[in-house]
Amino acid sequence: MTTAIDIRSVVKTFGEFTALHGVSLDIADNAFFTLLGPSGCGKTTLLRLIAGFEAVTAGEIRLFGEDIARLEPNRRPVNTVFQHYALFPHMSVIDNVAFGLKMQGLDLSGRRARAGKMLEMVHLSAFADRLPSQLSGGQQQRVALARALAPAPKVLLLDEPLSALDLKLRQAMRVELKQLQEDTGITFIFVTHDQEEALTMSDRIAVMSAGQVQQIGTAQEIYEAPSNRFVADFIGETNLLEVDVHQVHEGRATLTLPGGHRLSCPSALVAPGRHSLSIRPERVTISDSAELSAADLSATVERVVYLGSDLQVLTRLADDTAFTIRLQNAARTEVPSPGAQIGLHLEEGAARLLAD
Amino acid sequence: MAGGDDSWRPLAPRLLIPTWVVIGLFSLLPVILMAVYSFLTKEFRGGVIWDFTLAAYDQFFIDRGLFGDEPARLEWTYINIFGRSLLQAAICTALCLVVGFPTAWFIATRPARTRAVWLFLITIPYWVNLLIRTVSLKFLIRDNGPLNEALMSIGLTSGPLPLVNTNLAVQLGLFYSYLPFMVLPIYAAVERYNFALSEAAADLYASRWTTLREIVLPVVKPGIIAGCILVFVPALGAFLAPDLLGGAKTFMIGSLIEEQFKGSQGNWPFGAAVSMILLTLVLIALIFYARTAAREGAR
């Protein structure tokens, strides 16, 4: 597997403020790679460093082995899809798409042909002679994609390109983007704060926070095995409980929940002491308190939130800790009513101890 | 707006009355007056006699010799003055553009807080009356003025440079008078410019120079054109700078017109005719521009 982009201990400061604290990343060729994190985490800064719009303070950025960290943006074989598209307002759609080709010195007929093919790819052939202002947001988005892909970059950078679209369009574009990445074989680096976007499209995800990479992995790894409290909390919904770990033996930890309930769960990572325990709401099943077994937690239902395909049950544990459960809204789901005492059954693997 | 109160709508035409009054009184009426006056006969102590004649236009275009008895030839005196004025105004516009664009760019790319300060600095000199500023300029560049004395004291020149009463001095005066009219509209355009467009161009392999030529200039073009019109039109009709800084050989249309209405030497119909010719020229230029712009827009 070839490495497309190799980022080594990249530091970026703006005056007193440090946006990136020594970030290192390997991005494989022909991958859909996502930088995911809340606003201000440094993900866009990292993308702008790769594109060359900002200069690194320290560190290396290698593109297929060549250090590009100090090249001007117009000398880097990467192209960008901007958050608000940044289409040239005075040029027709086809001229926008052909701009990069023109700069590369392709002749008029050559760039017309290539730009036409790109527009065909994003289903906009009929709009070639329009101005960007005459297109809808979704169409502008696709022009921006075609424009960035036309010069056949080695890596395509996408800066929250779907954030300005409405929900339906955003969902359709996710599939389209992933398809496009697979068809072109170009490495996509996608920046987003939307975890659903990240989970649905990415081959690999780097979760960032406060200028640092918190975890890198596939969607499944990041969701199922978050490496720390931040990742567990940021990706999806979770219940984070402060627990006391008594002992770790043969890959299993024995611990006590805040209410005194004892539990055993797999963990090879942590040492005895105080830790966070993450329990995903959908990994918990409920039962009547009458059928409570020794392994179950007891809780009081506070409120049931109807979410369409799901039901969210907000409960309190015996020690008053808030605890959320998600149930599928299936035909035979028995909906608990507020005030009811229920038992919570944790599936094997539902609880995960976090290192910090 | 949907659901808004529409009861004012029948009043709308009447609400426009003040606008029409202002345009009529201060734009249309003066132009009509001037057009009418240009066809009247001059009264010797200024003013007009209500006898319709083409004498004023005849005086402008046709030379019949000193006593008016020679065969009619084309009169070059005033056409030359027009030519000089057009040239001076064009040079002034070009200079203002070359200096004004980088200035406007510089101001527009400062942090929002300091932008206001820079704009303030640009406009400060214009709180002083134009006449006073032009006279001061004359003092600065006259033979024993500070500029010449400085040049001589550092040994760059042996005698004073004759600057006053030259086309150069007039140009300097025009340039200085109208520079802000170039800076401000371009500033407004650059301030609205989306710098992501420059990043996008660089991202697509355009050099800085290409980005300026292919992206920045076309996008801020409305500001540049507004600035050019705001400089060219008044510079064409300017009379303070040519009057105070120039001499007989640097005479411009503005001074020519001004003289016709000054004291008892004047010739009101001739002044009105020259104004009409100037107005016609400017209108033709603007219409030509508007049609080119419309054709480009339709493309």
Side-chain angles (χ1 to χ4, degrees):
Chain A
M1 187 182 67
T2 343
T3 301
I5 292 232
D6 183 4
I7 292 164
R8 292 191 197 166
S9 338
V10 162
V11 175
K12 177 65 186 171
T13 57
F14 296 98
E16 297 285 291
F17 174 71
T18 305
L20 295 172
H21 302 265
V23 168
S24 293
L25 276 178
D26 260 355
I27 300 172
D29 191 19
N30 191 11
F32 199 117
F33 192 93
T34 299
L35 298 170
L36 174 65
S39 57
C41 73
K43 58 191 191 296
T44 295
T45 303
L46 185 57
L47 196 79
R48 292 174 60 80
L49 288 174
I50 299 172
F53 304 139
E54 309 280 354
V56 293
T57 308
E60 280 179 17
I61 299 174
R62 293 184 171 275
L63 179 71
F64 292 98
E66 183 202 356
D67 189 5
I68 58 163
R70 276 147 198 95
L71 287 181
E72 289 288 306
N74 56 337
R75 305 206 177 276
R76 299 186 188 199
V78 297
N79 291 140
T80 308
V81 177
F82 291 83
Q83 186 171 12
H84 300 290
Y85 322 138
L87 297 177
F88 306 131
H90 58 296
M91 290 184 193
S92 65
V93 164
I94 188 111
D95 286 343
N96 262 282
V97 177
F99 187 82
L101 303 168
K102 187 177 169 188
M103 294 303 118
Q104 286 180 324
L106 201 64
D107 62 34
L108 183 67
S109 61
R111 45 185 205 255
R112 283 260 147 183
R114 169 90 179 147
K117 227 164 74 187
M118 286 293 131
L119 283 180
E120 212 171 287
M121 186 180 73
V122 297
H123 319 297
L124 282 176
S125 300
F127 299 88
D129 294 321
R130 301 263 186 107
L131 287 175
S133 57
Q134 296 167 309
L135 301 184
S136 70
Q139 290 167 336
Q140 291 186 25
Q141 163 70 79
R142 297 216 294 273
V143 175
L145 256 174
R147 183 179 71 173
L149 282 169
K154 288 186 174 169
V155 171
L156 185 76
L157 309 174
L158 302 104
D159 184 9
E160 307 218 17
L162 306 184
S163 61
L165 304 179
D166 61 45
L167 181 68
K168 279 275 174 210
L169 206 51
R170 210 154 62 216
Q171 286 171 339
M173 279 305 289
R174 280 179 201 161
V175 180
E176 222 170 303
L177 271 180
K178 180 66 186 144
Q179 189 65 47
L180 208 55
Q181 190 274 318
E182 283 167 9
D183 291 349
T184 56
I186 293 172
T187 305
F188 280 27
I189 304 180
F190 186 88
V191 160
T192 185
H193 64 268
D194 183 330
Q195 42 147 322
E196 205 180 310
E197 257 172 43
L199 295 179
T200 48
M201 290 190 289
S202 318
D203 295 320
R204 286 173 78 76
I205 300 169
V207 183
M208 293 182 68
S209 157
Q212 271 162 335
V213 174
Q214 303 293 331
Q215 187 174 2
I216 304 174
T218 62
Q220 198 180 357
E221 283 165 0
I222 279 173
Y223 188 81
E224 309 276 343
S227 64
N228 60 32
R229 218 185 136 92
F230 174 83
V231 176
D233 196 28
F234 187 72
I235 310 289
E237 235 183 327
T238 198
N239 296 291
L240 283 173
L241 305 173
E242 291 299 315
V243 297
D244 283 317
V245 177
H246 306 298
Q247 60 167 351
V248 183
H249 182 64
E250 285 175 0
R252 287 193 78 83
T254 323
L255 52 91
T256 312
L257 296 184
H261 191 89
R262 288 178 83 87
L263 200 71
S264 151
C265 75
S267 169
L269 288 166
V270 301
R274 261 189 104 64
H275 289 287
S276 296
L277 183 75
S278 163
I279 304 170
R280 296 284 183 195
E282 72 277 14
R283 295 294 173 82
V284 179
T285 51
I286 61 171
S287 54
D288 276 341
S289 54
E291 303 160 18
L292 205 63
S293 75
D296 293 350
L297 283 159
S298 76
T300 314
V301 176
E302 282 210 318
R303 181 187 282 273
V304 179
V305 182
Y306 182 78
L307 298 173
S309 64
D310 281 5
L311 297 170
Q312 192 183 34
V313 184
L314 309 178
T315 69
R316 290 215 175 260
L317 301 181
D319 69 311
D320 215 32
T321 313
F323 195 94
T324 306
I325 305 155
R326 250 184 204 250
L327 302 176
Q328 267 200 346
N329 190 8
R332 32 193 254 346
T333 305
E334 277 180 48
V335 183
S337 45
Q341 287 288 320
I342 55 168
L344 307 179
H345 177 72
L346 305 183
E347 294 169 18
E348 176 65 21
R352 189 177 164 81
L353 266 173
L354 303 172
D356 62 337
Chain B
M1 212 54 87
D5 179 9
D6 276 355
S7 59
W8 58 273
R9 279 203 173 276
L11 277 175
R14 266 176 275 171
L15 291 174
L16 284 174
I17 289 174
T19 313
W20 284 115
V21 169
V22 168
I23 291 176
L25 270 183
F26 299 115
S27 289
L28 281 174
L29 191 63
V31 172
I32 292 168
L33 269 180
M34 200 165 68
V36 171
Y37 267 51
S38 73
F39 293 108
L40 296 180
T41 308
K42 81 165 176 178
E43 158 83 79
F44 277 98
R45 267 173 270 158
V48 289
I49 302 166
W50 283 78
D51 268 341
F52 283 87
T53 166
L54 285 172
Y57 292 93
D58 186 275
Q59 185 187 344
F60 189 96
F61 287 111
I62 302 188
D63 177 13
R64 295 176 204 280
L66 200 53
F67 303 103
D69 52 0
E70 289 167 37
R73 279 173 302 154
L74 191 58
E75 169 69 87
W76 283 101
T77 316
Y78 304 115
I79 294 175
N80 282 338
I81 293 175
F82 263 69
R84 183 186 303 129
S85 302
L86 283 169
L87 186 66
Q88 286 282 49
I91 294 172
C92 174
T93 309
L95 271 181
C96 285
L97 183 59
V98 168
V99 176
F101 186 85
T103 312
W105 185 273
F106 174 83
I107 298 174
T109 51
R110 291 315 96 188
R113 225 164 10 89
T114 43
R115 256 181 253 163
V117 178
W118 285 108
L119 282 180
F120 184 65
L121 287 177
I122 289 277
T123 46
I124 270 188
Y126 297 85
W127 296 13
V128 176
N129 184 290
L130 179 61
L131 178 66
I132 296 181
R133 275 183 290 128
T134 311
V135 171
S136 314
L137 196 59
K138 184 171 186 167
F139 276 102
L140 277 175
I141 62 170
R142 66 183 175 173
D143 286 1
N144 51 355
L147 179 69
N148 268 314
E149 300 210 323
L151 285 177
M152 282 187 288
S153 70
I154 60 169
L156 223 59
T157 53
S158 50
L161 288 176
L163 290 171
V164 176
N165 296 345
T166 61
N167 280 319
L168 184 68
V170 175
Q171 185 54 247
L172 192 65
L174 291 176
F175 168 71
Y176 175 61
S177 307
Y178 298 115
L179 183 60
F181 297 103
M182 185 65 86
V183 173
L184 295 177
I186 297 182
Y187 163 79
V190 174
E191 206 228 341
R192 282 196 311 269
Y193 178 72
N194 172 11
F195 283 87
L197 296 181
S198 292
E199 287 187 346
D203 190 60
L204 294 162
Y205 317 114
S207 65
R208 277 157 201 264
W209 179 244
T210 311
T211 303
L212 178 71
R213 204 181 57 231
E214 303 243 344
I215 310 296
V216 176
L217 288 181
V219 172
V220 302
K221 200 168 84 176
I224 294 176
I225 285 167
C228 287
I229 291 174
L230 287 179
V231 170
F232 183 78
V233 172
L236 190 58
F239 68 90
L240 270 181
D243 254 16
L244 294 169
L245 299 166
K249 285 187 180 163
T250 62
F251 214 62
M252 285 177 61
I253 310 174
S255 314
L256 179 65
I257 296 171
E258 188 212 4
E259 286 208 336
Q260 309 311 319
F261 293 97
K262 217 163 64 176
S264 55
Q265 319 294 318
N267 180 343
W268 288 19
F270 184 62
V274 177
S275 301
M276 286 309 292
I277 295 165
L278 176 60
L279 183 68
T280 313
L281 274 181
V282 170
L283 275 181
I284 289 173
L286 289 184
I287 289 170
F288 179 75
Y289 160 68
R291 294 188 69 174
T292 326
R295 207 174 306 132
E296 252 178 45
R299 188 176 55 85

